[in-house]
């Protein structure tokens, strides 16, 4: 898993679907080591260059959605990422300015599709709104409305 994440961080963005699939398959295969897998992914999104923050978020998004489909919504990945969600979102928002609306879109989808069933939407909506209000792209969209 660490090798795959290193490959991603050393490659040019965006992440390839093959790389994302490999990480997702490894994570589901090593479900008994879910705590270590979660820590690796959290470490990745904490420490990766800004242009790869969105890739880390997409990896986690794909993993949790696949785990929910294959293992049910009360699986270990969903539970542990729910507890780390605020930190995850804050780290993801350290991305490039152009990627911030993408981060917000992923979080909105998580709320709308109930990806994290134990999530209180209020815990994540305000940080997302605060980040977007400081985003130049978002501000330009609102000025044109």
């Amino acid at each position: 898993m660490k090798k795959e994440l290193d490959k991603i961080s050393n490659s040019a963005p965006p992440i390839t679907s093959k790389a994302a699939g490999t990480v997702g398959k490894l994570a589901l295969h090593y479900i008994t080591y879910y705590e270590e897998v979660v820590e690796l992914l959290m470490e990745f999104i904490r420490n990766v260059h800004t242009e790869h923050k969105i890739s880390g978020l997409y990896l986690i998004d794909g993993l949790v959605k696949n785990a929910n489909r294959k293992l049910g919504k009360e699986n270990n990945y969903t539970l542990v990422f729910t507890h780390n969600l605020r930190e995850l979102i804050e780290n993801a928002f350290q991305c490039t300015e152009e990627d911030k609306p993408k981060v917000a879109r992923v979080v909105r989808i998580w709320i709308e599709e109930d990806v994290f069933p134990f999530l209180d939407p209020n815990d994540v909506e305000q940080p997302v709104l605060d980040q977007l209000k400081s985003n130049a792209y978002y501000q330009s969209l609102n000025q044109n409305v």
Side-chain angles (χ1 to χ4, degrees), residues 115-131:
V115 173
F116 294 93
F118 306 105
L119 172 69
D120 179 356
N122 296 321
D123 289 343
V124 293
E125 285 179 330
Q126 194 57 50
V128 169
L129 291 173
D130 292 345
Q131 286 290 332

Side-chain angles (χ1 to χ4, degrees), residues 41-52:
L41 288 166
M42 291 296 293
E43 184 179 313
F44 177 83
I45 206 161
R46 268 186 224 112
N47 299 325
V48 76
H49 293 287
T50 57
E51 64 272 5
H52 279 296

